[in-house]
Amino acid sequence: MAQKFIGVTLPLRLGQTGMFEQSTSVIQQVRSNFKNLILTKKGERLGHPDLGCDLWKILFEPMTDDTLERARLAVVEAVDRWLPFIELTDFQITKSDAENSLNINCIYRFRSNPNVTDQVAISTAALGAPAVAFPFEPSSVVRTTTPRNRNRL
């Protein structure tokens, strides 16, 4: 029997079938949706300006207890609005070792079946990650000229 796919997991990655990686269970898809919701800033998603979480507004403020509480409330608000079918049962936000970053650990359960629980861990380091730097060697650059732009070099 062919495997039943529920949805596409995020971030998009090449899957085993040659298409994007897909989830095969509701739990796996909800976990992907949860991560996507928290790591999406409000206004980023076309057609859904309210989809996402306000962590971006908080990440570059001094990390005090008040800031951590505001981050917690931002996550709770986003989950309540966009994933109303789950309930957060254990939820922790801590400062990360990386600058301007938080670690979010959540255990949640499905409201329709409280016996089904799952856990997700998210680091916001991906939100403010610097661009990947590649080694650059000037000798590897090949400069080509054409008669038209030769004088511009």
Side-chain angles (χ1 to χ4, degrees):
M1 186 168 138
Q3 197 170 22
K4 182 179 178 184
F5 294 109
I6 304 293
V8 177
T9 62
L10 297 168
L12 294 176
R13 293 182 288 255
L14 188 61
Q16 299 293 330
T17 62
M19 299 176 7
F20 294 120
E21 187 175 299
Q22 300 171 343
S23 60
T24 55
S25 71
V26 172
I27 291 174
Q28 186 182 16
Q29 187 62 47
V30 169
R31 188 181 313 123
S32 177
N33 290 349
F34 191 102
K35 288 179 182 179
N36 185 48
L37 176 66
I38 301 308
L39 296 176
T40 300
K41 63 180 174 174
K42 285 187 177 180
E44 182 178 0
R45 179 79 184 263
L46 293 177
H48 291 284
D50 293 334
L51 177 74
C53 189
D54 280 333
L55 286 179
W56 272 91
K57 293 179 181 177
I58 299 166
L59 281 180
F60 296 98
E61 295 182 15
M63 287 295 163
T64 63
D65 289 340
D66 180 55
T67 307
L68 292 175
E69 178 62 16
R70 287 180 34 228
R72 188 190 71 76
L73 290 174
V75 171
V76 168
E77 177 187 306
V79 169
D80 285 347
R81 172 145 190 214
W82 295 100
L83 303 172
F85 50 87
I86 66 172
E87 176 185 1
L88 299 176
T89 59
D90 188 14
F91 179 58
Q92 298 172 348
I93 292 185
T94 57
K95 293 183 261 186
S96 172
D97 292 337
E99 191 173 341
N100 299 77
S101 182
L102 299 171
N103 292 323
I104 303 166
N105 294 301
C106 296
I107 297 175
Y108 57 89
R109 65 181 173 198
F110 290 82
R111 293 184 191 273
S112 62
N113 187 353
N115 295 325
V116 177
T117 64
D118 193 25
Q119 181 173 352
V120 65
I122 302 169
S123 174
T124 60
L127 294 176
V132 176
F134 295 100
F136 175 75
E137 296 179 26
S139 61
S140 65
V141 175
V142 177
R143 196 176 276 198
T144 60
T145 59
T146 60
R148 196 171 85 193
N149 68 3
R150 185 173 302 200
N151 295 333
R152 295 184 193 169
L153 293 178

